[in-house]
Amino acid sequence: MFKKIFILLVIVLNLHAKGYSMQNFTWPNGVTFLQFLENSNIPLRLYYNLSDTDKELATEVVAGTECEIMVDEDGILEQLLVPITEELQIHIYKDKSDNYALNFTPVIYTQSEHLLGVSIESSPYMDISKATGNSALANAFSVVFGKVVNFKRLQKNDNLALRYIQKERLGRPYGQPEIISGMIEENGKSKYMYKYGLKYYDERGKISERFFFKLPIPGARVSSKFSPKRFHPILKRYRAHLGTDYAAKTGTPIKAVADGRVSFVGRKGGYGKTVEITHANGYKSLYAHTNGFAKGLKSGQSVKQGQVIAYVGSTGTSTGPHLHLGLYKNNKAMDFQKVVSVEKEVQNVKEKQEFAKLVKEQNEKLQMAMGGFHNPEKFVGFDSFIAF
Ligand SMILES: [Zn+2]
């Protein structure tokens, strides 16, 4: 069954080099990393020999992830790359003695800064997509400005300008673009947003983000932060941590970070006893290593923000009682601490001066972007994926 799905999903990208061929495939729904190894005749020791935290990482492979595989003329797997985050991927390869080995390697990409100026024809999303062919950018713009501007009140020929950083890989935009600053006219009146630190502020230095998430264990200490990739200087290995760990005693109640619907209750690989809740706007939260669930909690049930859903424990591959909290947007892991920190204006004098300088610099760039003269070349999607 799996093999059939797998073959269907294998799509050729580049053809034959030295008798090997590179293929792209999409990670199938509902298949764990361990099942994948089993179905591909790769020794399971590759998984079992991993450290606890690496097993936890391997639990993170998401259905729909685009992977690359290299096979020889007989269809035997030579190399496999499975991205876990935008930064880090699982690499399976044959070592010198022809045995399969596994390590975590950084994803190779380039990134560059762009300016974009667009005149509104239908909506910011449609017009940015049309100008750049980059729907992730259109989406990022809508997220940053959707909180301060009512897009329905925009008029034709209102302008928008953007400064952003985009990763590129294999000739295509890759991952989430980072918006540095932006401007949009609402009926001819300009509204600005600037990234300062981790968050976006308007031109007065006020944060306009609506407070959406609350802490799962108020007052608990963060014992391990989110990190999409870091190099461990002693182990000389790449690692990642796709959540925020909160230290707390066994049995401490864990609260839902926002309203939502329970989408998973049960054991989940290295995460042990786990609850997942889906929220509005494509968000999902995950609570791992729990000791047990709130009485009667079941999949499909609605929960309110602050409602107790489980209790702190140490199940799965965990070295001591703590909560591992994961936050995902459209199945991509993101840093909970970035979205939860308390509302704050740019405060002290040093920050205010710094911010004023940043606003001046960014406005000069945005001014350059106006009129579309500096727009990047439009990315045109190519249809080279041939399913067979
Ligand atoms: Zn963790």
Side-chain angles (χ1 to χ4, degrees):
M1 171 65 178
F2 170 78
K3 282 226 163 109
K4 204 170 154 196
I5 298 170
F6 181 76
I7 290 164
L8 276 173
L9 288 170
V10 166
I11 33 190
V12 175
L13 184 61
N14 295 316
L15 286 171
H16 308 283
K18 280 189 191 165
Y20 296 118
S21 66
M22 285 290 285
Q23 299 170 341
N24 273 27
F25 72 94
T26 310
W27 193 271
N29 214 341
V31 173
T32 65
F33 186 67
L34 200 56
Q35 285 169 322
F36 180 86
L37 296 184
E38 205 170 346
N39 291 319
S40 314
N41 291 321
I42 301 170
L44 302 186
R45 65 172 167 76
L46 290 191
Y47 175 80
Y48 290 117
N49 289 350
L50 291 175
S51 70
D52 285 354
T53 39
D54 286 346
K55 279 188 192 127
E56 196 178 273
L57 262 189
T59 311
E60 288 280 347
V61 183
V62 172
T65 299
E66 243 187 61
C67 310
E68 288 168 76
I69 196 168
M70 191 167 106
V71 293
D72 69 11
E73 284 150 335
D74 304 321
I76 306 287
L77 186 139
E78 282 289 323
Q79 287 199 54
L80 172 70
L81 289 170
V82 182
I84 301 284
T85 70
E86 274 181 27
E87 303 279 336
L88 198 65
Q89 56 195 348
I90 296 176
H91 182 208
I92 293 178
Y93 58 99
K94 281 189 171 169
D95 64 14
K96 282 177 194 146
S97 4
D98 222 24
N99 292 319
Y100 283 116
L102 182 156
N103 64 9
F104 289 86
T105 58
V107 176
I108 307 295
Y109 57 80
T110 57
Q111 63 178 26
S112 43
E113 195 187 290
H114 299 283
L115 292 173
L116 178 74
V118 171
S119 183
I120 303 290
E121 289 291 324
S122 52
S123 73
Y125 184 91
M126 293 302 292
D127 295 327
I128 293 173
S129 295
K130 205 173 137 196
T132 60
N134 184 347
S135 56
L137 179 67
N139 195 40
F141 181 87
S142 304
V143 169
V144 172
F145 279 90
K147 291 160 191 147
V148 287
V149 176
N150 184 349
F151 292 150
K152 289 194 182 114
R153 279 174 39 199
L154 300 183
Q155 306 233 319
K156 222 176 169 181
N157 299 327
D158 273 342
N159 293 297
L160 67 83
L162 261 185
R163 186 177 181 209
Y164 64 99
I165 295 170
Q166 176 67 56
K167 296 175 185 150
E168 276 178 33
R169 186 167 176 259
L170 306 172
R172 293 193 278 169
Y174 170 73
Q176 292 304 305
E178 180 192 349
I179 292 178
I180 306 168
S181 61
M183 184 284 299
I184 188 163
E185 291 169 351
E186 191 180 17
N187 268 326
K189 189 173 177 294
S190 301
K191 297 207 169 172
Y192 293 85
M193 291 295 271
Y194 309 91
K195 191 170 189 198
Y196 178 71
L198 295 175
K199 292 180 161 279
Y200 289 93
Y201 294 83
D202 67 14
E203 59 270 38
R204 297 160 304 164
K206 288 211 189 317
I207 210 158
S208 307
E209 210 163 346
R210 234 179 300 135
F211 200 58
F212 182 63
F213 293 105
K214 285 199 169 141
L215 291 167
I217 308 173
R221 180 178 62 87
V222 170
S223 55
S224 176
K225 290 182 178 175
F226 179 92
S227 137
K229 182 192 77 180
R230 60 171 177 246
F231 188 69
H232 196 293
I234 297 163
L235 297 174
K236 301 241 182 289
R237 288 194 307 128
Y238 284 95
R239 309 295 322 279
H241 184 230
L242 298 186
T244 308
D245 287 352
Y246 294 94
K249 283 190 196 137
T250 300
T252 307
I254 301 165
K255 297 171 171 182
V257 295
D259 290 356
R261 192 170 289 277
V262 177
S263 48
F264 181 85
V265 186
R267 288 192 177 266
K268 191 176 186 187
Y271 281 147
K273 290 186 184 172
T274 302
V275 178
E276 288 180 15
I277 302 175
T278 52
H279 308 286
N281 305 323
Y283 284 105
K284 181 181 87 180
S285 55
L286 174 150
Y287 312 76
H289 307 305
T290 74
N291 201 30
F293 311 120
K295 211 174 164 203
L297 192 80
K298 53 180 188 294
S299 208
Q301 176 186 337
S302 305
V303 286
K304 286 273 165 218
Q305 185 172 56
Q307 186 175 331
V308 174
I309 45 152
Y311 300 92
V312 171
S314 190
T315 56
T317 54
S318 162
T319 45
H322 74 282
L323 167 68
H324 170 101
L325 175 75
L327 182 70
Y328 302 81
K329 171 127 185 169
N330 302 327
N331 278 328
K332 294 226 166 65
M334 57 185 292
D335 187 351
F336 182 72
Q337 286 193 290
K338 272 192 194 176
V339 297
V340 78
S341 42
V342 223
E343 211 166 309
K344 150 183 185 234
E345 286 180 30
V346 178
Q347 275 164 346
N348 61 48
V349 176
K350 184 175 167 269
E351 278 184 346
K352 273 191 178 151
Q353 283 172 352
E354 245 177 52
F355 186 74
K357 199 173 147 225
L358 178 140
V359 165
K360 190 167 170 282
E361 280 170 15
Q362 294 302 324
N363 285 1
E364 280 167 15
K365 294 281 185 186
L366 292 173
Q367 197 57 45
M368 279 169 67
M370 294 283 282
F373 185 69
H374 295 274
N375 284 6
E377 219 171 287
K378 181 176 175 177
F379 165 71
V380 185
F382 48 85
D383 204 15
S384 71
F385 295 110
I386 308 152
F388 58 78

